[in-house]
Amino acid sequence: YVADQYAIYRGQDASGGLRVQQWLINPFEFLRLALGSDALPKPDVTTMNGRRIFYSQMDGDGWNNLTRVKPYKDQPAISAEVIRKEVFLPHQDLPFTVAPIAADLDTKCYGVKESAEVARQIFGLPNIQAASHTYSHILLWDYFSAGDPAREKDLLAYYPPRPLSNLSFLDFLKNLFGGNKAWDSAKVAAKDTQRQTPAEAKELESKILSKYFNRIPRSYACAPFDLTQEINGSRDALQKLLPVGKRVGMINWSGDTLPFEGAITTARKAGLYNLNGGDVRYDAEYPSISYVAPIGAQVGRERQIYSGNGNENTYKRPGEDRYAGYLYLQKMVKLTNSPWRITPFNLYFHAHAGEDIMGLNALKQNLAFVKAQKNLIPMTAEEYTRVANGFYSTQIVSLGQHKWQIRNPGALRTIRFDKSSGKAVDFANSKGVLGQKYLMGSLYISLLPDISEAVIALKDIHTVGAYPVEETAYLIDSSWIIKNLQNSKKTLNIATQGYGSGNMLWHVPMFGRHTIEVRKQGKVIQRNTVDVAEDRLLNINTAVTAPTPVEVFIQYP
């Protein structure tokens, strides 16, 4: 038992500014001892097919911001176009979920002529999944929970009537507040910036903008608030920009990322998974695992799924454009992977990263860090949210000593056993198991796809951490998602799909020469032989890089 106030310390940093918190006890060790959880199976959302899940999402904030990055600023170009050319095109071996604000693409509201065309080009790329960041970019979700559009009437004078453009700060404010009661005071303040140093002018600019923007509960008010328009309407507007075969599958919550129950219900009924919130940090500035948010939150009868990592805004200090702070993400990725893997690897950013060279460079450095990792399985953000929802639907039933039934895992494919390096899957008495992998003293067990029920039986092994020989082949890890499997005594047929060059490691029942054939849409595109040593480990590499389904056929000796 831990008494209240004795589990987590909360206070201020040495300067009295930053709110700090830290576990006083080790929560992993406490719960392990209190619940006796070492021998219990745990649904795991960090891992699939033996590898750490990677996904990335870009929200549309700053889509139409005119970039200051050379040579694009001379065209001129919007920030989203810079991201298209500098991030999405060079990294087609990684998936990105892109969620524009629909009003930013609508010329009747806040779009410019380039807005929708850039979106169309981005969505046409094979590595891009479409999502919505709402229609008018809700900032304060609770403000609209009562569903009363008239409540916003007195605030309409503070909304920007037309898109921003590449103007001086004075003209910028005139464009922003022109025709509003707020303009007179803003105009006087803006003139003062002409007599300030650049640093003083920037500080005054920030104060002026916050004075007005802090009053509004959403970014745009081109029409009275309508929840259906925010979710269904934004979905339909974005769907028109997608190529045949693609769909808008998600909503990425905007603003304070605190949607009320009715908003999540509307999204679910519209066929949209939901993501965002949590603001996860764990690094030198936030040196405690207490800053790591859970998988999701219960909101009434609905569920919100949190992002695995914070976005670049969470790494800036208030009032500072500290773009390099985004590099703290790399520290968090390492800390949340060892000695326990507690989060997936989530790269989360906004379209305004293409506005400034420092922000763009920080994003590129994080992308280089992603490419340097050798144990990732890339997937779309929607695929991750389906895995996360599977955590909540999974049911575990004990079938006796070292044997469990796993029910309704959904898209969740990994069951973890901690402190189990001396255990292994008893395949003869298990059902629905794809493979197993040892990592940091834990045993990660991969389930077959699209099953509603599996049975996991464990057995003791004499060589700690070694992979035992079985009569059937089993997966150790894969950088591509296994979609289907047909396993016989002579052949192994694998349907798989992923991003980048595919790599799979299998444990096969016999050593010797194996023939590997990769087919795409029925056509053989790769054929080679591999000599498997006595450890019976078969490493398969495929040269296919597009996210297209392929079949891998393995012929045993």
Side-chain angles (χ1 to χ4, degrees), residues 459-522:
K459 61 183 179 182
D460 294 323
I461 56 174
H462 301 295
T463 305
V464 174
Y467 290 99
V469 177
E470 298 287 345
E471 293 184 0
T472 182
Y474 59 85
L475 179 72
I476 295 177
D477 64 40
S478 173
S479 65
W480 282 13
I481 298 174
I482 306 299
K483 297 288 188 177
N484 197 9
L485 183 73
Q486 296 179 10
N487 202 343
S488 70
K489 292 184 178 180
K490 286 294 183 180
T491 61
L492 184 64
N493 299 345
I494 309 159
T496 182
Q497 183 175 359
Y499 296 84
S501 298
N503 173 259
M504 291 182 280
L505 181 62
W506 290 83
H507 191 285
V508 292
M510 57 191 73
F511 57 88
R513 179 157 295 186
H514 288 62
T515 302
I516 300 169
E517 198 171 84
V518 180
R519 300 177 186 174
K520 180 178 178 181
Q521 297 177 339

Side-chain angles (χ1 to χ4, degrees), residues 60-69 72-73 76-83 101 104 110-112 114-115 118 163-166 172 220 316 323 350-356:
D61 308 44
W63 188 278
N64 294 321
N65 290 8
L66 288 171
T67 185
R68 299 189 296 274
V69 176
Y72 302 101
K73 72 173 185 177
I78 60 175
S79 295
E81 172 67 359
V82 177
I83 295 294
I101 303 163
D104 270 336
Y110 221 69
V112 294
E114 297 91 347
S115 306
V118 171
L164 306 182
S165 55
N166 193 18
F172 162 76
Y220 314 132
K316 297 177 183 178
Y323 296 102
H350 294 90
H352 58 61
E355 183 180 0
D356 186 278

Side-chain angles (χ1 to χ4, degrees), residues 210-245:
S210 65
K211 177 180 179 181
Y212 297 103
F213 284 133
N214 286 345
R215 298 189 182 192
I216 56 178
R218 53 181 174 147
S219 292
Y220 314 132
C222 301
F225 174 78
D226 181 348
L227 182 59
T228 301
Q229 175 70 357
E230 292 296 329
I231 295 175
N232 301 62
S234 64
R235 176 203 61 189
D236 296 344
L238 295 172
Q239 186 66 44
K240 296 176 182 178
L241 302 174
L242 303 187
V244 175

Side-chain angles (χ1 to χ4, degrees), residues 82-381:
V82 177
I83 295 294
R84 183 182 76 87
K85 290 184 175 180
E86 296 288 328
V87 176
F88 298 150
L89 280 174
H91 297 288
Q92 294 190 50
D93 54 345
L94 292 176
F96 297 93
T97 296
V98 177
I101 303 163
D104 270 336
L105 311 185
D106 184 355
T107 55
K108 295 179 180 178
C109 186
Y110 221 69
V112 294
K113 61 181 181 180
E114 297 91 347
S115 306
E117 181 56 32
V118 171
R120 185 177 286 107
Q121 293 177 22
I122 289 174
F123 289 141
L125 296 173
N127 58 325
I128 302 298
Q129 176 201 26
S132 164
H133 200 42
T134 73
Y135 199 91
S136 66
H137 197 248
I138 307 302
L139 300 172
L140 304 172
W141 281 90
D142 187 60
Y143 185 90
F144 297 104
S145 60
D148 180 13
R151 184 184 180 193
E152 203 179 7
K153 182 178 179 181
D154 292 339
L155 300 177
L156 295 180
Y158 297 98
Y159 281 102
R162 286 297 302 149
L164 306 182
S165 55
N166 193 18
L167 305 171
S168 67
F169 181 57
L170 177 61
D171 289 334
F172 162 76
L173 283 177
K174 183 176 181 180
N175 189 50
L176 184 62
F177 297 113
N180 296 335
K181 291 180 290 185
W183 168 242
D184 289 337
S185 58
K187 180 171 60 176
V188 174
K191 285 183 177 179
D192 289 341
T193 66
Q194 314 306 313
R195 298 190 292 270
Q196 309 294 322
T197 66
E200 291 171 335
K202 189 170 185 62
E203 181 180 2
L204 182 57
E205 172 185 341
S206 177
K207 290 180 179 179
I208 295 168
L209 292 181
S210 65
K211 177 180 179 181
Y212 297 103
F213 284 133
N214 286 345
R215 298 189 182 192
I216 56 178
R218 53 181 174 147
S219 292
Y220 314 132
C222 301
F225 174 78
D226 181 348
L227 182 59
T228 301
Q229 175 70 357
E230 292 296 329
I231 295 175
N232 301 62
S234 64
R235 176 203 61 189
D236 296 344
L238 295 172
Q239 186 66 44
K240 296 176 182 178
L241 302 174
L242 303 187
V244 175
K246 285 193 175 184
R247 63 176 182 82
V248 179
M250 290 186 64
I251 184 164
N252 293 359
W253 301 118
S254 59
D256 62 7
T257 63
L258 294 172
F260 50 89
E261 181 182 359
I264 303 177
T265 300
T266 302
R268 177 174 55 79
K269 290 182 177 179
L272 302 177
Y273 290 94
N274 78 87
L275 181 69
N276 276 357
D279 289 342
V280 176
R281 288 284 303 269
Y282 186 21
D283 48 57
E285 289 187 333
Y286 292 82
S288 172
I289 209 165
S290 63
Y291 293 106
V292 178
I295 299 167
Q298 196 71 23
V299 183
R301 293 165 294 181
E302 299 290 349
R303 183 175 300 114
Q304 175 184 358
I305 300 301
Y306 285 150
S307 301
N309 293 152
N311 60 61
E312 79 274 51
N313 290 338
T314 66
Y315 291 89
K316 297 177 183 178
R317 292 195 180 102
E320 295 183 18
D321 287 337
R322 194 185 62 154
Y323 296 102
Y326 193 26
L327 299 179
Y328 273 120
L329 171 67
Q330 299 177 22
K331 182 68 172 179
M332 173 174 170
V333 170
K334 295 175 182 177
L335 288 174
T336 54
N337 195 49
S338 177
W340 306 278
R341 179 178 291 170
I342 56 175
T343 69
F345 185 168
N346 173 210
L347 183 67
Y348 178 12
F349 59 100
H350 294 90
H352 58 61
E355 183 180 0
D356 186 278
I357 188 61
M358 291 184 292
L360 183 62
N361 283 342
L363 175 57
K364 286 184 173 182
Q365 288 184 58
N366 281 336
L367 281 166
F369 177 73
V370 173
K371 296 291 187 69
Q373 308 308 301
K374 303 300 182 184
N375 194 39
L376 299 179
I377 181 167
M379 63 181 62
T380 66

